[in-house]
Structure formats: C-alpha cells, structure tokens
Amino acid sequence: MKLLYTLFFLTTFFYQSSYSSGLKSKVKADARIIKEINLTAYSSGKIEIPTKTDLWVGFNFEFPKDMVDSHKGEYIFEIKDENGYAGVSTGPTDNSASTVFKEKKGKLTISFKNNTNLEYKVVLWVRRI
C-alpha cells in the first residue's frame, strides 16, 4: 500500500511540474514571469509590481482542452490596469494576450479575473516596452 501511495505522489508531482514548465515555455525569452496562478472558479485578485516605468503586461494559460468549444465567444480571463485604462480579455484559446500598463507612484497594479466556473493555470508576465 505504501508503494501505491508513493507512486501516486510521484506521478502527481511530475505531472504538475511538466504542466507548469509547459506553460512557462510559452512565455517569450525577453519577458519576466511575475506570478503563476492556479485559478479557481470565478476567482479574482490583484498584483502589485514595483517599477519606475510603464511595462508590457501579458499572460499565458492552459484552459481545459475539452471545454474550449463550449466557451467559444466568451471572455474567460481578463486583466486590467488599475492605474490606467488598459485591459485585455481573451477567449479559451491562448494567444499570449498583452498590452501596456501604466506605472503610478512606483508600481503597476494589475487586477485579474476568471470568468468561468472552471479551474486552470495562468502565468502573468511583464517585459520592457
């Protein structure tokens, strides 16, 4: 029985590691990953990034493949610039959505929201303009 538990743990661990590294590999080399998020149903949050300049902000995600067709035409994930007017929403297919966010008082403030009842992973990244 211990062997079964050990195999289960190792399988789960290596699956999560490869899942995460696959998602990170979608981020371009000149970008810096600022946060990996395990989104739950209808979750939201905010992230503050210290910076002295405006930055290009974007994300990559892995939406459940078997749910893509049932969510076509919907905005499943969005980020907004709390210091300005920029924002990006995307459907269930990852297109490395991004835009410029404004620095204010030495930081960027990014809000994010999962608009679905599903769980999936998101990697938020920034790069210089």
Side-chain angles (χ1 to χ4, degrees):
M1 193 64 162
K2 284 183 181 181
L3 179 61
L4 185 60
Y5 285 126
T6 303
L7 289 173
F8 176 74
F9 172 77
L10 289 173
T11 303
T12 304
F13 176 77
F14 285 114
Y15 173 74
Q16 288 177 346
S17 297
S18 65
Y19 180 75
S20 180
S21 64
L23 188 55
K24 287 180 184 178
S25 70
K26 293 181 180 181
V27 178
K28 293 184 180 181
D30 64 341
R32 178 173 55 101
I33 295 173
I34 55 167
K35 181 89 173 172
E36 293 180 65
I37 306 166
N38 292 315
L39 292 174
T40 57
Y42 300 108
S43 61
S44 62
K46 285 187 181 181
I47 299 170
E48 291 185 348
I49 304 166
T51 183
K52 294 182 181 180
T53 63
D54 297 346
L55 293 172
W56 203 271
V57 178
F59 57 88
N60 290 88
F61 61 93
E62 290 188 350
F63 195 70
K65 290 182 182 9
D66 59 337
M67 299 303 291
V68 169
D69 287 338
S70 62
H71 287 279
K72 281 192 175 174
E74 296 177 23
Y75 291 119
I76 61 129
F77 184 72
E78 63 186 63
I79 59 173
K80 290 185 180 177
D81 181 357
E82 296 292 314
N83 296 338
Y85 299 103
V88 177
S89 299
T90 189
T93 304
D94 185 3
N95 59 4
S96 297
S98 62
T99 192
V100 175
F101 279 35
K102 299 290 183 184
E103 172 273 335
K104 186 175 181 181
K105 297 182 182 177
K107 65 182 174 184
L108 293 182
T109 305
I110 303 166
S111 64
F112 62 88
K113 184 177 178 188
N114 175 8
N115 294 319
T116 73
N117 63 348
L118 301 171
E119 296 181 9
Y120 53 97
K121 291 186 180 222
V122 173
V123 172
L124 289 170
W125 51 263
V126 295
R127 72 174 197 242
R128 294 185 186 271
I129 301 172

